[in-house]
Amino acid sequence: MFTVRLSDSVTLFHGDALRILTTLPDAGVDAVLTDPPYSSGGTSMNARQADPAHKYQQSGTKRRYPPMLGDAKDQRSWIMWCTLWLSECWRIARDGAPLMVFTDWRQLPALTDAVQAAGWAWRGIVAWDKRSSRPQLGRFRQQCEYVIFASKGRFAAPTRACLPGVYAYPVIAAQKIHLTSKPVALIEDLLAVTAPQASVLDPFMGAASVGEACIRTGRGYVGVELSREYFEISRARLETLHSERR
């Protein structure tokens, strides 16, 4: 475990999220926005513990990414684990802070339970229309992922704008750094429920799409990543962006 400070407002931690979260002070961030491992992608234990590259990539895809860590939990342990780290995030967040957590259709019910068990007030769901998905013969496409929206107590809205509940952004393979990268433009849209100079906690940094969006919009960022490979990718990405914007 180690820490890198890119600036007064951007700090990156390498290590286990739950362990690092327990070291952060109470009421120290204004928002939580993160994309944790889904541990889904199959109905059997063997399928859930398969390589994420097989679970989440279409067949025939040639591009390879560094391994994703922490994506092979069984359902009951995943819910308990989510409740633990979400409880720490609740402690670390200031009163009124928003929480936004990505999930897929399989884990949507379980994660909403964990969010509420951790003390957050569930406020709704935002749909991300990816505009594409695997074909499903005779069935509806599963072309959306979801963002659970909650708050620590009464939500302190920073704007009077009426925001949409669905955002449509395609997944552009050439722009992906992580196997499950989310578009930076989507993250920037989600940050509309935070104040312009808010500090944002991201316990599952991945390749730092949330970090890039925060730096581009003038917000602070605290990122945590377990994978050493992705930590170094994220650090390089954010160091370059930070130097360009000075």
Side-chain angles (χ1 to χ4, degrees):
M1 183 178 79
F2 60 89
T3 306
V4 174
R5 288 182 64 85
L6 301 186
S7 69
D8 290 342
S9 61
V10 178
T11 303
L12 310 180
F13 294 91
H14 171 254
D16 178 73
L18 187 55
R19 180 181 176 190
I20 290 171
L21 290 174
T22 61
T23 70
L24 300 183
D26 295 357
V29 299
D30 301 307
V32 180
L33 173 51
T34 196
D35 182 17
Y38 293 174
S39 285
S40 62
T43 56
S44 68
M45 193 61 183
N46 285 341
R48 292 169 71 92
Q49 292 183 339
D51 183 344
H54 296 151
K55 290 196 291 183
Y56 303 132
Q57 279 186 298
Q58 295 186 18
S59 59
T61 302
K62 297 289 192 285
R63 187 168 182 179
R64 300 290 297 177
Y65 300 90
M68 284 177 58
L69 303 180
D71 193 70
K73 292 180 174 63
D74 64 80
Q75 188 67 14
R76 295 178 70 181
S77 63
W78 186 82
I79 295 171
M80 289 187 284
W81 173 73
C82 286
T83 303
L84 289 172
W85 65 259
L86 284 163
S87 296
E88 287 298 322
C89 289
W90 184 93
R91 178 186 60 78
I92 296 164
R94 296 188 175 96
D95 289 343
L99 167 76
M100 290 167 281
V101 187
F102 279 92
T103 190
D104 68 358
W105 66 273
R106 299 177 184 87
Q107 297 290 38
L108 180 59
L111 189 55
T112 57
D113 286 346
V115 164
Q116 294 172 90
W120 296 90
W122 183 20
R123 300 294 178 189
I125 297 169
V126 179
W128 167 38
D129 177 4
K130 298 182 287 186
R131 297 183 180 173
S132 64
S133 63
R134 293 172 179 169
Q136 300 281 342
L137 292 175
R139 294 160 50 185
F140 299 109
R141 282 179 177 264
Q142 290 145 359
Q143 71 184 60
C144 287
E145 290 185 32
Y146 306 94
V147 180
I148 296 172
F149 174 47
S151 65
K152 183 175 179 177
R154 184 174 181 178
F155 175 54
T159 177
R160 292 182 59 82
C162 294
L163 304 174
V166 178
Y167 293 93
Y169 287 100
V171 176
I172 301 174
Q175 297 177 358
K176 287 179 62 175
I177 304 173
H178 188 282
L179 177 61
T180 63
S181 287
K182 304 304 188 285
V184 173
L186 170 63
I187 304 298
E188 291 182 7
D189 283 339
L190 296 176
L191 288 172
V193 295
T194 69
Q197 294 182 325
S199 55
V200 179
L201 172 63
D202 177 11
F204 305 97
M205 181 164 61
S209 294
V210 174
E212 178 173 336
C214 286
I215 292 174
R216 289 190 181 280
T217 59
R219 289 165 170 83
Y221 179 69
V222 179
V224 183
E225 176 54 39
L226 177 60
S227 163
R228 181 62 180 266
E229 289 180 273
Y230 276 121
F231 179 86
E232 295 300 338
I233 289 170
S234 295
R235 177 165 68 172
R237 177 183 186 179
L238 298 185
E239 282 178 342
T240 299
L241 179 61
H242 192 266
S243 63
E244 289 174 350
R245 298 181 68 82
R246 285 179 180 173

